[in-house]
Amino acid sequence: MKYLKIKATSFYILALAITLLCGCSLSGLFSGDPDAGKKPDTSTITDREDYLESSLGEPDELKPGETGITIRLTPQFVLHVNSDNKVVRFEALNEQAHALRRTTKKEWNKKPVKKALRSILEQCVTDGYISDAIPEVEIIVSDPSSEIAQKARTVAEEILSLHGISTEINLH
């Protein structure tokens, strides 16, 4: 009889432990980092710049004839555009960009750069990555004097204007 009480008590303790673990952030528990899983504070321009610098992955080299358009928001990514002005690759540089790539794949894959950018930036507005609370959208084009650079700026301005967002666009 005593054996059954011990077994039942052990079962309840195990069930309680599992319940507690499931309710907690396992990554924070085991990583030793109390801030694990928390979204960083990017409310100030300095905090946002620090976050962008620390979370930016290294982009791949462009193939001959390709132009790269890097968009730096919370999702950071590079669009590889071929000589026909079509997006041939969406290179995600952070976790949020991976999700954005999956969400918008049918909208950018082998599409003209303006159409692809429009779809991706619309999704960024929908997801809250572009808003009046975000001070700027940074667009870096591998060839800033190219026609693609102007297309990128024009599309970004159209999207911001359409949604009444006063965020600044910096083209490099």
Side-chain angles (χ1 to χ4, degrees):
M1 189 72 145
K2 193 174 188 178
Y3 173 74
L4 287 177
K5 283 185 181 180
I6 293 172
K7 192 172 183 180
T9 304
S10 299
F11 174 76
Y12 288 121
I13 291 172
L14 179 63
L16 179 62
I18 290 172
T19 303
L20 288 173
L21 284 175
C22 289
C24 296
S25 168
L26 294 177
S27 62
L29 263 175
F30 297 115
S31 71
D33 181 4
D35 294 330
K38 291 184 184 176
K39 188 174 180 179
D41 177 21
T42 57
S43 57
T44 67
I45 291 173
T46 305
D47 289 340
R48 185 171 179 277
E49 287 173 353
D50 290 345
Y51 170 72
L52 290 175
E53 287 301 322
S54 67
S55 64
L56 183 63
E58 277 298 314
D60 293 340
E61 285 189 37
L62 298 170
K63 292 180 181 175
E66 284 186 344
T67 301
I69 302 173
T70 304
I71 308 288
R72 294 189 68 195
L73 299 160
T74 297
Q76 299 171 40
F77 54 92
V78 179
L79 297 177
H80 293 248
V81 181
N82 67 12
S83 57
D84 294 330
N85 286 335
K86 293 192 177 178
V87 177
V88 292
R89 185 167 172 220
F90 181 120
E91 183 182 354
L93 300 178
N94 63 8
E95 198 173 306
Q96 294 87 353
H98 283 286
L100 182 63
R101 180 179 60 197
R102 284 189 299 275
T103 304
T104 61
K105 182 164 182 147
K106 290 180 181 175
E107 307 302 320
W108 61 260
N109 195 21
K110 297 185 180 158
K111 302 284 191 250
V113 68
K114 282 180 79 170
K115 183 175 182 179
L117 263 174
R118 190 173 288 117
S119 297
I120 292 167
L121 292 177
E122 278 287 345
Q123 188 65 45
C124 286
V125 170
T126 301
D127 293 346
Y129 296 127
I130 299 175
S131 70
D132 278 329
I134 307 299
E136 70 177 354
V137 174
E138 189 173 1
I139 302 173
I140 304 165
V141 182
S142 60
D143 181 4
S145 63
S146 70
E147 179 185 328
I148 290 175
Q150 270 320 112
K151 286 181 181 182
R153 181 179 202 61
T154 302
V155 168
E157 287 171 347
E158 286 173 8
I159 298 299
L160 295 179
S161 175
L162 179 68
H163 293 280
I165 298 172
S166 60
T167 298
E168 185 179 335
I169 299 169
N170 287 328
L171 180 65
H172 307 279

